[in-house]
Amino acid sequence: SSGINAEYGEGEGHQCGYCNQPNTSISTGLYLVFTSTERYNRLIDRGWRRSGKYLYKPSMDKICCPQYTIKCDVEGFRISRSQRRVLKSFETFLSTSERGSVPGPRGRAPMEGNRHMTDRVTDHMTPLSNTRVSTMDAERVVEGAAAAADSTPSVAPLETLANGHPTYRTALQMAGSKKRRDFRRLRKLKKIAAKRNVEWETLDVRDFGPLPAPPSFRERIDAVLANPRFRLRLVKVGSKEFEETFADTHAVYARYQSTIHGDTPDKCNQSRFHNFLCNSPFQHREVENQGAYHQQYWLDGTLIAVGVLDILPRCLSSVYFYYDPSYEGLTLGTLSALFELHLASKLSRTALPSLRWYYMGFYIHSCRKMRYKGRFRPSYLLCPRGYTWWPLEQCLPQLDAAKYCEFDTERAGETPVTDTEMACQVVISPQDWQPMRYDIFQAIHRAEVGEELPDELTDAIRELYRLAGRENARLICLVSEE
């Protein structure tokens, strides 16, 4: 079974880390002494998250910024255009920069309170020219390109537009990706003509078939990992490799916390770092390929970032991500999510076939700067009442209308704990640390003290069943303060 101490229950409100309102961040917390990866996997499917050994579950209907558990389908993931640009930019940096160099600064993006991507990727198009394009010009170019694509008697009109005409690519961008493909086909045609030493007008673009398929997400990541300057290293917390690099990982963490979050040195010392990101409830039982891990990012032999991960039976759960602020320009936040998705895919195909999901923590729709997790698709949100999963696209209209939503309107919440279940619940007395049934513990207390147990323990058991679910609550031992 799993052990929990008496620090269980809904805490007082604190300042929200997302909107900064006072006393509006409310959650139920518990200190998990030990558990298995399987049981923790079930708990996060009920909206729980961990920080070290401390677990917390936001009180969704009471807080200012409701936090919905979000997960991404690993094998169904398709990299977006903006994510491809981030990955390509990093690959270019590895190929063209000198060893030991750092990237130029980027605009600082808002931070998440307890998780990972530090940069907000925005969709934008880079113009080819500063020349202003009128709406009429754009429409004419698009119409000409569309006519050429439909009839294809000759590609000569495309050359007229491409040579020195600044509106061509701009108009094609407005028309959508199909028109941009026409532009790439034209470039390919001209290259082939140059190699054959003939005029490109004499060639027909239809002779060369469709464009080659773009590389897959897995192939894009593998290309980056093939660069000898960059290395991802997955180390299990508590292992020899972890201990050997502990000083390096803490040093990066201290720089990150002080620069990005403004923490004082005492708030990011080694003891706090260990309790926050190295301590876990999984250490009592070793499970092969599962547990708490650190994914280390090494560039030119220097540690520049660390992703804190939980590898669980059915998911890869992202706990935290931090990096050396000197490398902020690499957009490491987005890169970390892409690399973690790649790791999850690799695990699902090899060591953990049951692993299907990548958990990104909480999605906070009411905080605009925290909507970036919705860009990793297909993603699903957890209903805070029925604990069922719903496609993100289906949830967005409801979240636009109200901060707190229950997506599953048909399924009822957890039924109250019965007297029989209450009697069989296991509790631990702090006097001798012996587990016993609640009804026996209650009888002993009545005989020794001459009165009933306080209502706080009974209420805690009932709340535990409601929030953790029957299957999980039955396996949890509450440590009584009495």
Side-chain angles (χ1 to χ4, degrees):
S1 61
S2 305
I4 290 181
N5 76 359
E7 187 189 346
Y8 169 75
E10 188 172 81
E12 298 180 354
H14 299 281
Q15 180 177 352
C16 178
Y18 305 104
C19 68
N20 296 321
Q21 292 188 42
N23 304 320
T24 55
S25 180
I26 305 170
S27 65
T28 298
L30 55 86
Y31 190 83
L32 196 60
V33 179
F34 56 84
T35 192
S36 66
T37 53
E38 168 62 34
R39 289 167 190 161
Y40 179 64
N41 202 148
R42 294 203 297 259
L43 282 170
I44 64 174
D45 282 337
R46 301 278 301 192
W48 292 83
R49 298 288 294 171
R50 77 173 185 90
S51 174
K53 289 188 174 183
Y54 182 76
L55 269 68
Y56 60 97
K57 176 178 171 63
S59 301
M60 297 279 285
D61 56 342
K62 300 178 181 179
I63 59 179
C64 54
C65 298
Q67 303 168 32
Y68 299 87
T69 300
I70 183 172
K71 67 179 182 180
C72 180
D73 185 351
V74 171
E75 293 305 319
F77 172 71
R78 296 294 179 268
I79 188 169
S80 69
R81 186 189 313 154
S82 61
Q83 292 159 359
R84 289 198 303 268
R85 284 200 295 267
V86 170
L87 197 60
K88 184 64 177 178
S89 177
F90 182 59
E91 188 176 9
T92 301
F93 171 80
L94 294 177
S95 303
T96 60
S97 65
E98 297 181 1
R99 293 181 64 88
S101 62
V102 296
R106 293 175 59 93
R108 177 73 56 82
M111 293 297 304
E112 177 181 359
N114 69 335
R115 175 53 197 145
H116 74 238
M117 286 173 287
T118 62
D119 344 79
R120 181 171 57 182
V121 181
T122 56
D123 288 328
H124 63 279
M125 305 300 291
T126 304
L128 288 182
S129 170
N130 292 327
T131 305
R132 179 166 301 193
V133 183
S134 68
T135 303
M136 183 176 295
D137 289 339
E139 290 175 351
R140 289 173 180 172
V141 174
V142 172
E143 290 173 359
D150 293 337
S151 59
T152 18
S154 170
V155 290
L158 296 178
E159 174 67 0
T160 304
L161 293 169
N163 280 337
H165 197 297
T167 66
Y168 176 73
R169 189 176 179 186
T170 305
L172 295 187
Q173 287 171 345
M174 294 173 61
S177 60
K178 179 179 180 180
K179 306 310 176 186
R180 285 194 294 275
R181 285 198 296 270
D182 290 338
F183 181 75
R184 291 195 296 271
R185 289 166 71 97
L186 175 61
R187 286 193 306 180
K188 177 182 176 182
L189 187 69
K190 295 178 71 173
K191 287 181 180 179
I192 295 174
K195 289 181 180 180
R196 297 184 182 181
N197 198 26
V198 298
E199 295 296 328
W200 74 269
E201 292 89 347
T202 62
L203 301 177
D204 190 333
V205 69
R206 294 172 295 181
D207 295 339
F208 305 101
L211 288 174
S216 66
F217 168 65
R218 193 179 303 163
E219 291 169 338
R220 294 177 190 274
I221 296 291
D222 289 339
V224 174
L225 295 178
N227 193 303
R229 294 184 57 192
F230 179 65
R231 183 163 66 104
L232 282 179
R233 187 183 184 192
L234 186 67
V235 298
K236 192 164 190 175
V237 172
S239 65
K240 179 182 177 181
E241 294 81 5
F242 173 81
E243 298 298 336
E244 290 174 346
T245 57
F246 179 81
D248 292 325
T249 56
H250 171 257
V252 175
Y253 171 77
R255 288 196 293 272
Y256 173 82
Q257 292 296 124
S258 61
T259 303
I260 303 299
H261 291 297
D263 285 356
T264 57
D266 63 299
K267 288 187 176 181
C268 47
N269 57 34
Q270 287 194 2
S271 176
R272 294 200 175 197
F273 168 67
H274 186 273
N275 290 335
F276 177 33
L277 296 177
C278 305
N279 212 1
S280 84
F282 311 130
Q283 296 168 348
H284 75 290
R285 181 180 299 173
E286 288 292 327
V287 179
E288 187 177 5
N289 302 316
Q290 296 182 35
Y293 286 81
H294 282 192
Q295 188 170 41
Q296 301 173 346
Y297 294 62
W298 294 85
L299 177 63
D300 299 331
T302 300
L303 182 68
I304 65 170
V306 177
V308 183
L309 307 171
D310 287 338
I311 300 179
L312 306 175
R314 291 175 295 282
C315 72
L316 176 71
S317 175
S318 180
V319 179
Y320 201 73
F321 179 76
Y322 61 92
Y323 58 90
D324 187 332
S326 302
Y327 294 87
E328 186 177 21
L330 292 178
T331 323
L332 288 169
T334 300
L335 283 172
S336 72
L338 296 174
F339 285 129
E340 288 166 10
L341 273 162
H342 181 265
L343 172 63
S345 177
K346 181 178 179 180
L347 288 170
S348 69
R349 289 180 284 107
T350 54
L352 282 175
S354 61
L355 192 152
R356 180 185 170 187
W357 304 100
Y358 171 54
Y359 282 55
M360 296 177 281
F362 293 127
Y363 175 81
I364 308 171
H365 189 76
S366 58
C367 183
R368 185 171 297 274
K369 67 183 181 183
M370 293 306 302
R371 295 183 183 180
Y372 62 82
K373 294 179 184 179
R375 299 187 184 127
F376 294 86
R377 298 188 179 187
S379 290
Y380 300 80
L381 298 185
L382 182 68
C383 176
R385 178 176 174 84
Y387 300 108
T388 51
W389 295 96
W390 296 80
L392 175 65
E393 294 82 358
Q394 188 174 335
C395 301
L396 292 179
Q398 301 178 60
L399 293 173
D400 287 336
K403 288 184 178 181
Y404 175 71
C405 298
E406 296 176 357
F407 312 120
D408 193 342
T409 57
E410 298 181 358
R411 183 170 179 175
E414 198 76 31
T415 56
V417 57
T418 65
D419 292 339
T420 302
E421 290 172 324
M422 179 74 74
C424 296
Q425 179 64 39
V426 178
V427 296
I428 297 178
S429 171
Q431 280 76 29
D432 52 13
W433 288 94
Q434 291 298 317
M436 64 185 72
R437 284 171 40 139
Y438 176 74
D439 55 353
I440 297 175
F441 180 72
Q442 190 177 42
I444 293 175
H445 179 84
R446 187 185 305 114
E448 292 179 349
V449 182
E451 60 183 29
E452 298 293 330
L453 281 168
D455 294 338
E456 286 80 0
L457 181 58
T458 303
D459 294 341
I461 294 175
R462 295 187 186 280
E463 188 72 355
L464 179 63
Y465 267 75
R466 185 178 73 85
L467 297 179
R470 277 178 159 71
E471 187 177 8
N472 298 316
R474 285 196 300 265
L475 299 173
I476 292 176
C477 300
L478 284 172
V479 180
S480 172
E481 293 180 333
E482 298 298 321

